[in-house]
Amino acid sequence: MEKKYDVVVIGSGLGGLASAVILAKEGKKVCVLEKNTQYGGNLQTFARDKSVFDTGVHYIGGLDVGENLYKYFSYLEIMDKLKLYRLDENGYDFISFEDEMIDYPHAQGYENFVQQLLVFFPEEEVALRKYCDTINDICHRFPMYYLEGGKGYDENIVSIKLIDFLDEITSNEKLKAVLIGSNFLYVADKEKTPLYVHALTVNSYIQSAWRCVNGGSQISRALIKVLKSYGGEIYKNKEVVGFVFDNQQLASCKTADGMQYTADQFVSNINLKHTIRMVGTESFSKPFVKRIMSLEEVPSVFSLYIVFKKECYPYQNSNIYYYNSIDDVWDTHQKAEGRWPNLLVASMNCTSPAQEWADSMTVMTYMDFEEVKQWGETYNVSTIKNLGTRGNSYEDFKREKEQLLLAKLESKYPGICRAIKSVHSSSPLTYRDFIGSERGNMYGFIKDANIPMKTFISPRSKIGNLFFSGQNVRMHGVMGVTIGAFVTCLEMVDKDSLLTKLNKYRDDEALV
């Protein structure tokens, strides 16, 4: 059977759904194909012991009235449909080190951010203000970030290293560690991480930080509802397995169940390396294939999903980043051998506004895919059958890691383990299977200030009607992927018309 559309979007992650909504609003007949049984990619949620957990969206920034993600979500017609709860304004994140047990706050609002840290670093006001001014300035260098006009960033901006900037503003190593203490959000490499990656990531949280009440899947559900209201279609259990060409253009894609979907344009929101392999490396230029295939992915994650006994542990309206020492803040995942976990990231799940007791908590740390490579040929997804089971050895491996991570959690919060009802866990294999990321990576490709343009990937491929969206293209995260979807769609529709429609969201008054 064959179906015909203007655009087929492959993958229902945030980038795919946002792209589909934009294109449908621009009058195109759109279809989204998802291989799994649940839509949303990193927006997926799942339940354990009657508690709902997020796959990847533990908190979001920039959603207060007039802020940048608020504006984008308003255009997408989902802002008024989301149930959100604001994190502690005096400390949405806390950075802590085991050798001193002090919680250093990251506060909402730039002035508040400075004032809260001055309590611990009274001699560093000049450095803190320089830090805030620079973060803000860098974000304004990326026009789509704030829906501003202009030529945009230049290579001088993207080639500044984060470490060089921090060394320039202060010699206080503790302050540097605190300022980048939430770098699990982007993975800090001392020799590579660009300043702009840090700036674009943390700025939105400093503006405002929020939890999604009962999980981030509400974002995907809202987007799907909007998509359908504009005539768009979406199907799950539809794994794309190949493409048909016509005169060097894509004519259709084929799914594992024998269906064929014909379209004028295609958007791939799935793993970029997998897209290239599936389309065929011969269809792209050799330098492009070589460049993409040589890109290094960020590491993966091992996570605990903790369900608490009823009314046994207080809800904490903030997140904690807990390191062995300040030396572990840079290159954290590379320093874990023999001392894993040397970082713990804990985030409680919000089930109702202003809740008193914690229902559940997600605890995360880095894990290299090599640790689970021996089970790498096994899969836990319905689209892949009869490829073996992981067996008792895998379960033993997970239990051992669970106990190590729980011991780390107990060292930060003495007595917390007594409040736990049940513990569940996931490894890089889980992330690979259900998100589709190469080697289970969290955020796509490592950005390198030494060769910054290597990971700036055009949303338009050399195949004229194939486009890319998602975290492999430009920035990751809810903010980065949402903006990236608009960048992709600007290549596919009348650019001036779409920008004109977006421009009305630049004015705060239009949103109140």
Side-chain angles (χ1 to χ4, degrees):
M1 293 181 63
E2 182 177 348
K3 291 190 174 184
K4 176 71 168 70
Y5 301 90
D6 294 324
V7 184
V8 167
V9 178
I10 302 162
S12 70
L14 175 58
L17 290 176
S19 297
V21 169
I22 297 164
L23 295 169
K25 288 187 68 170
E26 289 301 299
K28 291 184 178 288
K29 185 179 180 182
V30 181
C31 174
V32 180
L33 303 176
E34 169 58 48
K35 77 169 185 175
N36 287 330
T37 58
Q38 186 177 167
Y39 300 119
N42 272 318
L43 297 173
Q44 293 178 64
T45 56
F46 61 93
R48 292 291 183 270
D49 210 351
K50 299 181 181 180
S51 290
V52 174
F53 292 92
D54 277 297
T55 299
V57 181
H58 303 289
Y59 60 127
I60 310 175
L63 283 175
D64 205 0
V65 174
E67 293 174 352
N68 48 358
L69 192 57
Y70 183 101
K71 297 176 183 181
Y72 278 107
F73 276 10
S74 295
Y75 171 88
L76 293 169
E77 301 179 27
I78 66 170
M79 190 61 234
D80 59 349
K81 300 176 177 66
L82 302 181
K83 295 180 179 179
L84 305 165
Y85 185 58
R86 192 164 191 154
L87 290 168
D88 188 341
E89 294 192 45
N90 291 329
Y92 64 90
D93 282 346
F94 285 95
I95 314 303
S96 182
F97 308 99
E98 188 171 6
D99 53 4
E100 66 174 14
M101 301 301 286
I102 296 173
D103 291 340
Y104 297 95
H106 286 186
Q108 298 180 50
Y110 274 109
E111 182 60 31
N112 194 26
F113 186 92
V114 171
Q115 293 302 324
Q116 295 297 329
L117 284 177
L118 279 176
V119 174
F120 302 93
F121 302 97
E123 306 300 320
E124 295 290 341
E125 182 169 0
V126 172
L128 285 167
R129 295 197 180 280
K130 176 67 173 177
Y131 170 83
C132 292
D133 290 344
T134 303
I135 295 301
N136 205 9
D137 176 64
I138 292 232
C139 291
H140 282 284
R141 302 292 187 97
F142 291 75
M144 289 297 289
Y145 189 83
Y146 280 123
L147 290 173
E148 296 171 329
K151 296 182 180 179
Y153 61 86
D154 56 46
E155 196 160 348
N156 292 327
I157 291 294
V158 297
S159 62
I160 301 172
K161 288 183 182 179
L162 176 57
I163 183 60
D164 290 344
F165 165 69
L166 294 173
D167 287 345
E168 176 187 322
I169 65 171
T170 183
S171 60
N172 189 317
E173 297 300 324
K174 179 64 64 64
L175 177 58
K176 294 176 193 177
V178 168
L179 290 175
I180 68 158
S182 63
N183 76 75
F184 189 81
L185 294 167
Y186 55 88
V187 186
D189 184 306
K190 196 169 190 176
E191 298 302 320
K192 296 179 180 179
T193 299
L195 172 59
Y196 83 88
V197 169
H198 174 83
L200 294 178
T201 301
V202 304
N203 175 72
S204 62
Y205 296 108
I206 297 176
Q207 288 182 327
S208 65
W210 310 79
R211 291 206 205 285
C212 290
V213 178
N214 284 322
S217 61
Q218 60 177 294
I219 298 174
S220 57
R221 291 195 300 270
L223 286 168
I224 290 168
K225 188 173 182 179
V226 175
L227 173 64
K228 290 180 177 180
S229 75
Y230 283 93
E233 300 175 20
I234 183 167
Y235 301 100
K236 58 187 176 182
N237 299 315
K238 292 286 184 179
E239 182 182 14
V240 175
V241 294
F243 291 89
V244 175
F245 278 81
D246 181 15
N247 193 28
Q248 297 184 325
Q249 297 278 292
L250 295 182
S252 63
C253 63
K254 298 180 289 184
T255 54
D257 60 0
M259 290 287 291
Q260 192 158 309
Y261 295 81
T262 301
D264 297 323
Q265 296 174 312
F266 295 83
V267 176
S268 175
N269 185 59
I270 62 175
N271 181 280
L272 185 55
K273 290 183 179 180
H274 181 60
T275 301
I276 292 171
R277 296 187 196 105
M278 187 164 56
V279 173
T281 56
E282 67 281 358
S283 299
F284 303 91
S285 69
K286 290 182 179 179
F288 176 76
V289 173
K290 183 178 180 181
R291 174 166 69 101
I292 300 303
M293 294 305 179
S294 69
L295 291 175
E296 183 182 359
E297 290 87 8
V298 302
S300 190
V301 59
F302 184 87
S303 299
L304 295 184
Y305 308 102
I306 294 171
V307 180
F308 290 112
K309 299 172 186 175
K310 188 175 181 179
E311 296 184 359
C312 275
Y313 202 80
Y315 173 76
Q316 296 181 10
N317 197 33
S318 55
N319 310 297
I320 191 74
Y321 292 78
Y322 180 49
Y323 295 86
N324 284 1
S325 71
I326 66 169
D327 294 332
D328 285 312
V329 173
W330 290 103
D331 310 319
T332 311
H333 63 287
Q334 298 173 13
K335 297 175 178 176
E337 187 174 353
R339 32 201 305 270
W340 188 97
N342 58 344
L343 162 68
L344 174 151
V345 182
S347 181
M348 289 189 172
N349 303 310
C350 186
T351 55
S352 64
Q355 66 190 72
E356 181 180 357
W357 299 100
D359 297 296
S360 55
M361 170 189 274
T362 301
V363 180
M364 299 164 284
T365 193
Y366 293 115
M367 179 173 280
D368 194 287
F369 189 81
E370 290 300 310
E371 289 217 50
V372 295
K373 191 175 181 179
Q374 62 179 296
W375 303 284
E377 297 304 314
T378 64
Y379 294 82
N380 277 340
V381 288
S382 60
T383 54
I384 300 177
K385 297 181 175 64
N386 303 319
L387 284 181
T389 60
R390 291 171 190 161
N392 291 334
S393 62
Y394 178 67
E395 296 304 319
D396 291 342
F397 167 82
K398 287 208 299 179
R399 277 193 291 270
E400 177 188 349
K401 298 301 182 181
E402 288 171 9
Q403 293 307 309
L404 289 170
L405 198 47
L406 284 171
K408 184 77 171 178
L409 182 65
E410 181 75 15
S411 75
K412 175 58 183 171
Y413 299 113
I416 192 172
C417 288
R418 292 195 298 272
I420 293 175
K421 178 182 178 182
S422 62
V423 177
H424 314 269
S425 63
S426 67
S427 79
L429 293 173
T430 317
Y431 220 72
R432 179 203 64 183
D433 289 355
F434 291 96
I435 305 301
S437 56
E438 193 92 356
R439 294 170 61 86
N441 78 82
M442 292 188 289
Y443 307 131
F445 304 123
I446 293 174
K447 307 294 194 295
D448 188 345
N450 302 292
I451 42 174
M453 303 314 292
K454 188 174 182 179
T455 52
F456 274 75
I457 298 162
S458 171
R460 179 189 289 271
S461 76
K462 294 298 182 181
I463 302 170
N465 64 340
L466 172 64
F467 301 83
F468 305 125
S469 189
Q471 68 177 14
N472 285 159
V473 184
R474 308 297 170 88
M475 282 291 291
H476 62 278
V478 173
M479 181 76 71
V481 170
T482 299
I483 295 174
F486 281 86
V487 172
T488 296
C489 291
L490 285 170
E491 297 283 337
M492 304 177 66
V493 300
D494 185 281
K495 184 174 182 178
D496 292 336
S497 174
L498 179 54
L499 285 175
T500 297
K501 293 170 186 175
L502 276 174
N503 276 341
K504 73 175 185 178
Y505 293 95
R506 290 176 57 188
D507 299 324
D508 295 355
E509 291 77 14
L511 301 166
V512 176

